[in-house]
Amino acid sequence: MEVGEGEVVHLRGPNGAGKTSLLKVLAGLLAVHSGEATVLGRDLVADRRSVRREIGMLGHQSFLYEELTVEENLRFAVRANRGVVTGIRPVLEQFGFAGRLASIPVGRCSAGQQRRASLAVLVARGARLWLLDEPHAGLDQDGRDLLDALLTGARAAGRTVVFASHELERAEAIADRVVHLAGGRVVEPPEPTGASDSPAPLVQAARQTTSAPAVPAGPVTEDPAHVA
Amino acid sequence: MLRDAVLVAGKDLRIEIRSRVGLNQIGPFAIAVLLLFGLALGPDRRVLASASAGLFWVAVLLSTLLAVQRSYAIESADAARDGLRLSGLDPAGIFLGKASAVAAQLLVLEAGLTVGVALLYGAHLSGALVLIAACVAGTLGLAAVGTLYGVVASGLRTRETLLPLLFLPVVAPVLLAATKAWDAGLAGRQGHAAGWLDVLVVFAVLYIAIGTVAFGPLLEDG
């Protein structure tokens, strides 16, 4: 799998396909045990820490400190990344945290607000590569629209985005390319069956898995991954 | 590294001040330990006064466990530990910052416990310089060891029970040396404390050095 600079790539596959694992490998959170992986020109096998300053990741969880306010979380993230905190006010406003809302501890925010706060951290850090795991999850309609606009803007600004999403219509509208995963490997797109790979009953999910090209199961890291 | 340490220490202390876990839980726990030891030893003030140094440091040791567990509990909520790894902070800076925050909380606690042993056990607080020096050096050692083993335990499901098993045997030299130094300080024999203070300083420097080097790999593997 290779991703070029400025590309927006949608990772698609059933639950357990390896989408989250791949994103964590690209972020340097999981070690590459075999094969090779290069992100932003850096070899993840040799050093998976050096790339992190240039990566912004949105995971299933918020990565935020519940006792700190939204603004304090942003300040901490930006300072940790050697950034300048003077630019965070517009980011807070962009994500709906103007005024008093920015002073609320994250633990007292709703799930959707916490998701917005995580997105704000991502933007404020000024990362070159965005890795997003189900970014639409937990957001209301406005939040989803905001996210889509954010991703479109990121593409226009030349940022590289790799994201996993079961929101297929939204994802297709944003992505330049779709990469299908199954059993921890990149596979050819499955034959259209009329069924979605998003929240599907177990039987359907199993049928989809078996309809994919036969590939040996294994860790996603066995395939070379080159990003940007 | 130092810049990152200040950032992490500031973040941890801000969270502790806001959550008041130290004030509402660790402080009362330490006072309860002093009271229970007092009950166990009986009302004889001479016995209590002679045991006050050891009881003080046992209370500090047990409180360190709580402070370290709390220090990593704030990183485990909402995968903040992964956030810390992704933050771009120098691991050595994270270690120094977290250890500094734990040490700062313990020093505040020790000030309260010192008043406690004076009131409950009738300890005479002579030799204040020796007592303060032992507190500073001993606390730095405890915080360094606790932060180092805390990151080992924090990634495991058995962290609550594993940390005391890892931590307590290693800090036995701190308990011994700090108690001896305090005994000498309380008895007004400051000259006898010098060797024990040296042990505390060497221990603290050693574990701060080990932690600075080893924390990064341990954070990644946890």
Side-chain angles (χ1 to χ4, degrees):
Chain A
M1 172 185 166
E2 290 194 11
V3 179
E5 189 163 5
E7 233 185 335
V8 177
V9 172
H10 173 209
L11 299 178
R12 189 169 160 180
N15 292 337
K19 303 184 294 292
T20 298
S21 296
L22 176 57
L23 290 171
K24 285 187 171 181
V25 166
L26 297 178
L29 287 176
L30 287 181
V32 180
H33 295 297
S34 63
E36 56 186 80
T38 307
V39 172
L40 300 173
R42 294 186 181 85
D43 182 359
L44 292 188
V45 179
D47 180 12
R48 60 192 165 110
R49 286 213 309 247
S50 63
V51 77
R52 291 179 185 161
R53 283 217 174 105
E54 298 183 75
I55 282 179
M57 185 168 189
L58 184 72
H60 289 289
Q61 288 145 311
S62 72
F63 299 151
L64 302 173
Y65 294 100
E66 293 182 353
E67 289 89 350
L68 298 184
T69 68
V70 176
E71 183 172 354
E72 286 167 346
N73 268 289
L74 248 73
R75 283 182 183 277
F76 178 74
V78 170
R79 283 187 175 140
N81 209 33
R82 311 284 190 268
V84 184
V85 293
T86 49
I88 68 169
R89 184 63 61 182
V91 177
L92 284 167
E93 289 171 2
Q94 181 186 358
F95 287 91
F97 292 107
R100 205 177 61 83
L101 264 179
S103 307
I104 294 176
V106 165
R108 281 168 45 196
C109 291
S110 69
Q113 286 173 323
Q114 290 186 17
R115 202 70 176 157
R116 282 173 181 251
S118 296
L119 283 168
V121 168
L122 186 83
V123 171
R125 276 168 58 93
R128 283 173 63 196
L129 170 63
W130 290 7
L131 303 170
L132 314 177
D133 198 357
E134 297 296 344
H136 295 95
L139 290 172
D140 59 15
Q141 191 63 38
D142 287 348
R144 289 169 180 223
D145 291 344
L146 176 67
L147 173 64
D148 290 351
L150 189 69
L151 291 177
T152 306
R155 179 169 57 184
R159 294 194 199 286
T160 309
V161 182
V162 180
F163 72 103
S165 177
H166 288 301
E167 298 276 344
L168 301 184
E169 283 185 21
R170 285 182 178 273
E172 281 169 13
I174 299 163
D176 298 317
R177 187 156 63 90
V178 179
V179 171
H180 292 265
L181 295 175
R185 289 181 178 276
V186 177
V187 297
E188 293 298 316
E191 293 294 320
T193 59
S196 156
D197 65 358
S198 74
L202 282 177
V203 174
Q204 269 187 313
R207 192 166 57 200
Q208 276 191 328
T209 303
T210 52
S211 69
V215 289
V220 75
T221 53
E222 285 187 0
D223 277 330
H226 299 277
V227 176
Chain B
M1 181 174 73
L2 289 178
R3 177 193 171 281
D4 288 351
V6 170
L7 190 62
V8 172
K11 180 263 295 176
D12 278 12
L13 288 173
R14 188 184 292 261
I15 288 173
E16 286 313 314
I17 289 167
R18 198 159 292 165
S19 67
R20 297 184 182 175
V21 169
L23 186 68
N24 295 338
Q25 292 178 27
I26 300 175
F29 168 80
I31 296 293
V33 169
L34 284 189
L35 284 170
L36 289 171
F37 276 132
L39 287 173
L41 292 175
D44 189 332
R45 301 281 280 185
R46 280 180 305 172
V47 173
L48 288 172
S50 65
S52 57
L55 299 183
F56 172 90
W57 281 102
V58 168
V60 171
L61 227 64
L62 296 176
S63 302
T64 306
L65 282 172
L66 295 186
V68 169
Q69 282 179 331
R70 169 65 186 158
S71 175
Y72 285 100
I74 61 178
E75 304 298 346
S76 63
D78 257 329
R81 182 189 168 109
D82 278 347
L84 204 59
R85 292 169 65 198
L86 287 168
S87 66
L89 289 163
D90 184 342
I94 298 174
F95 167 77
L96 290 175
K98 293 196 84 63
S100 302
V102 168
Q105 293 170 68
L106 288 177
L107 285 170
V108 172
L109 178 78
E110 286 161 17
L113 285 178
T114 303
V115 176
V117 294
L119 294 176
L120 294 172
Y121 302 161
H124 297 289
L125 303 177
S126 53
L129 275 179
V130 168
L131 302 185
I132 291 170
C135 278
V136 171
T139 301
L140 288 176
L142 291 176
V145 174
T147 305
L148 186 60
Y149 285 106
V151 74
V152 175
S154 68
L156 304 171
R157 274 181 291 179
T158 54
R159 56 182 166 267
E160 290 85 1
T161 46
L162 182 62
L163 180 61
L165 281 176
L166 294 172
F167 174 78
L168 290 174
V170 175
V171 296
V174 175
L175 179 66
L176 175 67
T179 300
K180 293 291 185 185
W182 258 55
D183 268 337
L186 291 175
R189 292 179 280 112
Q190 282 87 335
H192 290 79
W196 296 113
L197 288 176
D198 289 344
V199 171
L200 291 174
V201 170
V202 168
F203 187 94
V205 170
L206 184 67
Y207 267 92
I208 288 171
I210 292 172
T212 303
V213 174
F215 189 83
L218 293 174
L219 180 67
E220 293 301 323
D221 293 339

